[in-house]
Amino acid sequence: MAAQDTTSTGADAGQEPVTGRVAETVSASWSVSLDDLRTNLTHEKNKPEDIENFVWCYLYCTDSAHPMRREEFARKIAVVDHTTILKLIRGTYRHPETGERMPIPEKLGRALTMFRQLETDRARNLRPAISRTPTLARIWTACDLARESQSPVFLIGPSHIGKTVGLTSYRDDHDHGMTCYARLRAASGLGGMIKEIALAIGGIGMKGNTATLIESIKRRLKPNMLLILDEVHELMYTYRKESFFACLEVIREIYDACGCGLLLCGTSLLMKRVRENRGELEQLLRRGVHKVILPSQPTKEDLTVILGDYNLHFPEKGYTCAVRFGTKDISDTPYEILRQVGSEDGLKAITERLRYGLKFARKDNARLKWEHVVRAHLTIKQNEIPGDDW
């Protein structure tokens, strides 16, 4: 099966998670923290597997990647109404006459198991295939280092080299709820950053102020968890110069309180800024012993793996393709296309040419060839030229 790139593969991989008001509404509909949920479900009448599946479904529904209100979840499983679920998560599900606590109903236990299995299978089937490139391996190694050492790890690389999809694929391939991924955003300030982290962790009420959320995050994160913060360099683009340092200092404070694995991902601007301001950021920098630096552009080894997933060999330097483009016969060199596009625009620009080339191959009812990729490249370049007014 042809694998996609390690940056983004369109609607399936590149969607932004739902955040803000929608996610806060979802969290409010469940109206219980993860710690309280575990406490309320833990009693001798509930089966351990039912508790585990209930917690999994709760984390799934409060995840900002696919938020689902309690009422919607009840409609999906269609075995109990949302008020029964509310009583269970609050620990008030009792016999109407005796007042004795009742266990999770068997039909609900079966429905929780089925929901978890279906959503796990669906995510696995919808997830675009990821080419197992050397760069992807380095990204996963950085995550492993952070988890194993329970310390901050800096992952540094240029845009469009595969960082984000590498990190999200690591999260998806590890225990749900134990690896948390948050994409940080420009001009959001400390409050915005904390909300993104709280939403990524899940199970945290969003009604409190920033200080309250910080304390909730500290309680929710455990030493065996991994917190991935992507696009950390975006925190520099703010209205207040001091905001960037305040954000990193709070990240350091959260880490010190939890002792969990922490991965800080960004471009070279992040490391440059941190090293230029060692005084303000000394504590975080000294804690981050591991620093994984990715290549400045897609490597030949990466592209060899990706091209192999498309059943293409890495082209020789002198190999030339001749294609009919419009009314002209044009020759181009695939090796130079890969070198130039990778250097100027990154991995996504290359894999988009492969994807686009597949469309031409299907029209020809043929397997993908370099001629199709060259035609895709010429089409993309042609679209960059503005049309004449006359």
Side-chain angles (χ1 to χ4, degrees):
M1 179 179 178
Q4 302 298 318
D5 68 308
T6 54
T7 53
S8 175
T9 52
D12 290 337
Q15 291 176 341
E16 294 289 345
V18 179
T19 58
R21 189 178 301 276
V22 173
E24 291 180 28
T25 302
V26 169
S27 180
S29 79
W30 286 90
S31 67
V32 64
S33 70
L34 179 62
D35 289 340
D36 288 342
L37 175 68
R38 291 186 186 277
T39 299
N40 295 338
L41 291 177
T42 303
H43 63 91
E44 67 280 0
K45 293 185 178 181
N46 280 337
K47 300 176 183 177
E49 59 269 25
D50 286 348
I51 296 175
E52 180 185 349
N53 287 330
F54 210 132
V55 170
W56 190 96
C57 292
Y58 166 86
L59 288 170
Y60 180 91
C61 293
T62 56
D63 192 321
S64 61
H66 31 64
M68 187 183 306
R69 290 174 56 85
R70 171 171 47 85
E71 295 82 355
E72 183 184 353
F73 175 71
R75 288 194 297 270
K76 273 188 174 291
I77 60 176
V79 291
V80 297
D81 61 25
H82 67 91
T83 57
T84 299
I85 294 176
L86 182 61
K87 291 176 182 178
L88 283 164
I89 64 179
R90 287 182 173 177
T92 59
Y93 186 58
R94 299 179 180 275
H95 193 281
E97 297 177 359
T98 64
E100 186 180 5
R101 289 190 69 177
M102 296 191 296
I104 297 171
E106 287 188 14
K107 60 181 180 181
L108 177 57
R110 291 193 297 270
L112 295 172
T113 301
M114 184 176 295
F115 180 87
R116 180 177 181 176
Q117 186 63 55
L118 287 174
E119 291 303 323
T120 300
D121 290 345
R122 190 176 78 87
R124 186 179 296 115
N125 292 333
L126 288 178
R127 186 190 308 163
I130 304 296
S131 295
R132 303 295 173 174
T133 64
T135 295
L136 180 74
R138 287 175 61 82
I139 293 170
W140 279 40
T141 295
C143 294
D144 287 336
L145 286 171
R147 182 189 294 280
E148 293 164 4
S149 67
Q150 295 178 311
S151 66
V153 170
F154 288 91
L155 176 66
I156 305 299
S159 299
H160 302 296
I161 196 68
K163 301 190 301 296
T164 294
V165 168
L167 293 173
T168 54
S169 67
Y170 184 92
R171 174 201 61 190
D172 294 343
D173 279 52
H174 290 72
D175 293 341
H176 189 82
M178 301 302 290
T179 301
C180 308
Y181 169 89
R183 186 200 182 283
L184 306 184
R185 301 173 192 282
S188 61
L190 177 61
M193 181 192 77
I194 291 302
K195 282 191 175 183
E196 293 291 348
I197 295 174
L199 290 168
I201 294 172
I204 296 176
M206 303 298 292
K207 293 182 179 180
N209 57 25
T210 298
T212 300
L213 287 178
I214 291 173
E215 294 306 311
S216 297
I217 289 169
K218 291 178 183 178
R219 290 193 299 271
R220 172 71 179 86
L221 286 172
K222 306 300 180 185
N224 62 343
M225 295 175 70
L226 171 63
L227 175 61
I228 298 173
L229 302 180
D230 195 5
E231 308 285 7
V232 179
H233 59 279
E234 293 281 354
L235 296 174
M236 290 187 284
Y237 304 118
T238 180
Y239 302 112
R240 295 172 54 246
K241 178 183 177 182
E242 301 80 11
S243 179
F244 173 67
F245 302 109
C247 288
L248 289 192
E249 177 58 21
V250 169
I251 290 172
R252 195 273 312 161
E253 176 189 331
I254 291 171
Y255 164 73
D256 282 350
C258 309
C260 66
L262 174 64
L263 188 131
L264 303 166
C265 178
T267 66
S268 58
L269 290 174
L270 171 63
M271 187 56 66
K272 182 175 183 289
R273 187 72 175 271
V274 169
R275 284 174 169 159
E276 286 176 349
N277 297 272
R278 291 187 69 99
E280 292 90 342
L281 304 174
E282 181 73 18
Q283 293 189 69
L284 184 62
L285 191 62
R286 292 186 63 142
R287 285 163 174 77
V289 175
H290 297 287
K291 300 172 182 65
V292 179
I293 311 299
L294 300 179
S296 60
Q297 65 184 68
T299 66
K300 182 177 179 180
E301 290 75 17
D302 287 343
L303 294 179
T304 298
V305 173
I306 294 170
L307 292 172
D309 289 336
Y310 283 88
N311 296 314
L312 289 173
H313 294 292
F314 194 90
E316 297 292 333
K317 284 187 177 182
Y319 174 64
T320 301
C321 282
V323 299
R324 185 71 175 177
F325 190 72
T327 60
K328 300 178 180 179
D329 292 319
I330 299 179
S331 294
D332 213 329
T333 308
Y335 181 93
E336 287 302 318
I337 291 175
L338 295 176
R339 186 191 62 78
Q340 181 178 352
V341 172
S343 175
E344 294 178 356
D345 300 317
L347 186 59
K348 175 63 179 177
I350 292 175
T351 56
E352 179 58 18
R353 282 159 171 79
L354 294 171
R355 185 199 68 80
Y356 207 171
L358 279 173
K359 292 184 67 175
F360 291 123
R362 293 190 187 105
K363 288 181 181 179
D364 293 342
N365 197 25
R367 69 175 181 83
L368 181 66
K369 300 177 183 178
W370 276 114
E371 287 79 2
H372 300 119
V373 179
V374 170
R375 194 186 307 172
H377 171 70
L378 293 173
T379 303
I380 291 171
K381 300 303 290 184
Q382 178 68 30
N383 290 338
E384 296 176 1
I385 302 174
D388 294 332
D389 291 335
W390 293 89

